[in-house]
């Protein structure tokens, strides 16, 4: 059995797979507390499912590109991911905060895509976790992996240096994602362009992709 906050189909709104239809499973709980978090991952109003029930739902949605495991932090539920294992008829697309590298190692064989965050202290109001993020990338290498960085007007040159260094050293795509205020980025076009240019000066495999699902108004 696994406790699940919600299961739904929608359009992927972030990163290089934007626009693909996916089946989403939102798992409960998170090991971080980002100041900008707007996701309800509390166990209240969640529901328990058996693995065979989940597999039935997957089999009814095989027109989806993949199964997004999201949260919260899905890597808090490695037993569930292992139980799902290779029984899923959809490939697993992991959306993670990129800190639980030992948990990732337990399930890496079952995951096809990894969307991992690097958390900026300036945006998330967290202590720096550069080492954890880098250990996570090393555990994820060989998979279809990209790094997503949520930023706002407080992003610093030191942070830009750090994220481009880490991504360049490991040859991982870097996706800059402006924090949103409702359906609009919280920073101006000029500011976003300037941040992109600063990163491109240090690492060419960098893109700016805002959260598309916010302005096409899907979940
Ligand atoms: S890691 Fe994600 S789910 Fe967890 S607190 Fe931060 S934004 Fe919210």
């Amino acid at each position: 059995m696994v406790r699940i906050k919600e299961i739904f189909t929608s359009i992927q709104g972030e990163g290089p797979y934007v626009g693909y239809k996916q089946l989403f499973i939102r798992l409960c709980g998170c090991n971080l507390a980002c100041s900008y978090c707007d996701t309800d991952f509390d166990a209240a109003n969640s529901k328990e499912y058996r693995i065979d029930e989940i597999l039935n739902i997957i089999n009814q949605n095989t027109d989806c590109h993949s199964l997004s495991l999201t949260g919260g932090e899905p890597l808090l539920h490695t037993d569930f991911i292992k139980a799902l294992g290779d029984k899923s008829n959809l490939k697993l697309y992991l959306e993670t905060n990129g800190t639980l590298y030992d948990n990732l190692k337990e399930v890496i064989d079952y995951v096809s895509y990894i969307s991992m965050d690097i958390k900026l202290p300036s945006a998330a109001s967290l202590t720096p976790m550069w080492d954890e993020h880098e250990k996570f990338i090393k555990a994820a290498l060989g998979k279809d992996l990209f790094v997503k960085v949520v930023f706002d007007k407080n992003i610093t040159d030191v942070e830009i240096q750090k994220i481009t260094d880490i991504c360049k050293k490991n040859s991982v795509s870097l996706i800059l994602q402006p924090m949103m205020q409702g359906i609009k980025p919280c920073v101006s076009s000029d500011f976003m362009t300037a941040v992109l240019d600063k990163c491109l000066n240090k690492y060419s495999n960098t893109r700016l992709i805002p959260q598309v699902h916010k302005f096409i108004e899907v979940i």
Side-chain angles (χ1 to χ4, degrees), residues 38-209:
D38 60 359
T39 306
D40 178 10
F41 52 75
D42 194 83
N45 301 318
S46 61
K47 191 179 155 198
E48 284 205 322
Y49 288 82
R50 296 188 314 272
I51 293 296
D52 64 295
E53 290 178 298
I54 301 283
L55 291 172
N56 276 340
I57 295 170
I58 291 171
N59 289 337
Q60 289 160 21
N61 289 283
T62 50
D63 61 336
C64 289
H65 168 268
S66 49
L67 168 59
S68 171
L69 298 175
T70 189
E73 174 48 60
L75 284 175
L76 292 174
H77 305 273
T78 51
D79 286 347
F80 165 62
I81 300 173
K82 282 190 273 190
L84 206 54
D86 48 16
K87 298 189 197 83
S88 168
N89 284 327
L90 292 175
K91 289 184 175 177
L92 302 191
Y93 179 110
L94 181 67
E95 303 204 46
T96 169
N97 60 36
T99 56
L100 299 176
Y101 45 88
D102 282 334
N103 297 34
L104 176 67
K105 289 174 192 167
E106 285 183 44
V107 299
I108 189 75
D109 289 344
Y110 304 121
V111 174
S112 297
Y113 307 92
I114 303 178
S115 164
M116 69 163 280
D117 292 350
I118 287 185
K119 297 292 185 186
L120 297 185
S122 66
S125 306
L126 298 169
T127 52
M129 293 180 289
W130 311 122
D131 288 347
E132 287 89 341
H133 288 313
E134 198 157 359
K135 284 179 185 167
F136 193 97
I137 289 176
K138 298 222 180 293
L141 287 176
K143 296 290 168 177
D144 190 336
L145 166 72
F146 63 92
V147 163
K148 197 182 69 187
V149 174
V150 175
F151 71 96
D152 65 8
K153 65 179 173 42
N154 298 312
I155 187 170
T156 68
D157 289 345
V158 171
E159 289 176 329
I160 287 172
Q161 189 68 54
K162 269 286 182 193
I163 57 176
T164 51
D165 278 352
I166 291 173
C167 290
K168 187 173 183 178
K169 197 187 335 172
N170 294 287
S171 301
V172 178
S173 301
L174 171 59
I175 310 295
L176 300 170
Q177 183 177 291
M179 204 184 293
M180 301 291 277
Q181 267 173 347
I183 62 167
K184 288 191 161 186
C186 72
V187 288
S188 68
S189 307
D190 286 350
F191 188 89
M192 287 188 277
T193 308
V195 172
L196 176 62
D197 284 343
K198 280 186 184 181
C199 289
L200 284 170
N201 274 336
K202 299 175 188 304
Y203 183 43
S204 60
N205 189 5
T206 305
R207 278 175 283 174
L208 177 83
I209 306 179

